[in-house]
């Protein structure tokens, strides 16, 4: 196993994207509690500022559009100027999850999904990794999803974006081997955040944002390539890949894995879909 330089969280600089709410906010709070300086980036700059104020003097907030490299560069530059130190850890968390039958989904929403969920990660890594490589230390965490290993009806383009995030993380980790810079993917199942609001996932396991935040912090110590939450789902996802399709169809019906199509509260869900549509 490659050995990476240890990172003591006390006083380090951590940048978290999509940090005004949900997983991003829980992750920012966990790093601040561990003694790190945390920069919260989000499209909703006002909400991010409120969140950073709640976290105290160890946190700052700035507007961030992860689909725009200039915006991302400005965010990272402001974070380093505020903390008076180079970036140690980047958490690429910003993401969107529209749900719809594939044939009905709008191309504009498809592009937004790819821009945020894939290019947002690409932009962040291409900006953060080179200085880390030059210093010989650093850590990047990409928040992917179990939807990057397991296809879900009603989330086809989201699935595509998360499969891309998983592959992107794995390949860049190989390329950066030996540089002292690690790249890890964290793959949650359904998480109780606005992203999944209005969808009743039934038997599918769900986690809280704090569970994901704890897993992110753990990767700073372990530098694990991939962390699934709950952990057993990683093995399940790999087993499904070798299970005959007729058997999987039966298992899927038992799991009722079509929740994103059939068990949706349209009124509750629409508020989230309207918000991302205006991005």
């Amino acid at each position: 196993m490659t050995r990476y330089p240890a990172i003591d969280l006390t006083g380090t600089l951590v940048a978290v994207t999509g940090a005004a709410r949900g997983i991003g906010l829980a992750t920012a709070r966990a790093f601040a509690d561990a003694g790190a300086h945390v920069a919260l980036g989000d499209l909703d700059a006002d909400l991010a500022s409120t969140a950073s104020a709640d976290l105290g003097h160890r946190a700052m907030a700035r507007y961030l559009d992860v689909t725009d490299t200039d915006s991302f560069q400005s965010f990272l530059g402001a974070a380093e100027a505020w903390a008076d130190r180079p970036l140690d850890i980047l958490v690429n968390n910003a993401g969107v999850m529209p749900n719809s039958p594939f044939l009905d989904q709008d191309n504009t929403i498809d592009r937004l999904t790819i821009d945020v969920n894939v290019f947002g990660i690409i932009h962040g890594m291409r900006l953060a990794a080179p200085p880390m490589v030059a210093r010989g230390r650093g850590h990047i965490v990409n928040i992917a999803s179990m939807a990057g290993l397991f296809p879900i009806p009603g989330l086809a383009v989201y699935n595509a974006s998360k499969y891309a995030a998983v592959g992107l993380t794995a390949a860049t980790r190989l390329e950066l081997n030996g540089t002292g810079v690690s790249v890890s993917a964290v793959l949650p199942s359904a998480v109780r955040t606005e992203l999944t609001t209005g969808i009743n996932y039934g038997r599918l396991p769900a986690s809280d944002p704090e569970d994901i935040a704890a897993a992110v912090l753990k990767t700073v110590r372990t530098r694990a390539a991939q962390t699934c939450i709950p952990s057993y789902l990683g093995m399940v996802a790999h087993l499904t890949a070798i299970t005959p399709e007729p058997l999987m169809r039966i298992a899927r019906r038992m799991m009722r894995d079509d929740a994103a199509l059939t068990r949706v509260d349209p009124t509750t869900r629409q508020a989230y879909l309207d918000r991302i549509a205006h991005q």
Side-chain angles (χ1 to χ4, degrees), residues 7-14 30-31 34-37 58 89 217 220:
I7 298 177
D8 180 353
L9 289 179
T10 304
T12 60
L13 175 58
V14 182
F31 274 114
H37 299 298
R58 292 189 180 279
I89 299 169
L217 259 70
V220 178

Side-chain angles (χ1 to χ4, degrees), residues 200-254:
N200 178 4
Y201 279 99
R203 295 187 181 94
L204 294 177
S207 303
D208 292 312
E210 292 73 19
D211 299 324
I212 315 309
V216 171
L217 259 70
K218 186 177 179 181
T219 69
V220 178
R221 175 176 56 82
T222 67
R223 309 297 178 91
Q226 191 176 99
T227 302
C228 297
I229 306 167
S231 58
Y232 68 85
L233 286 182
M235 182 62 69
V236 171
H238 290 299
L239 286 174
T240 63
I242 60 173
T243 301
E245 185 178 19
L247 291 180
M248 276 308 305
R249 289 189 180 277
I250 295 171
R252 283 176 174 276
R253 282 197 297 271
M254 293 175 61

Side-chain angles (χ1 to χ4, degrees), residues 72 92 116-127 142 168:
F72 217 135
N92 282 311
V116 175
N117 294 1
V118 182
F119 279 99
I121 293 176
I122 291 172
H123 296 330
M125 288 199 294
R126 282 192 174 145
L127 291 169
N142 296 328
L168 177 65

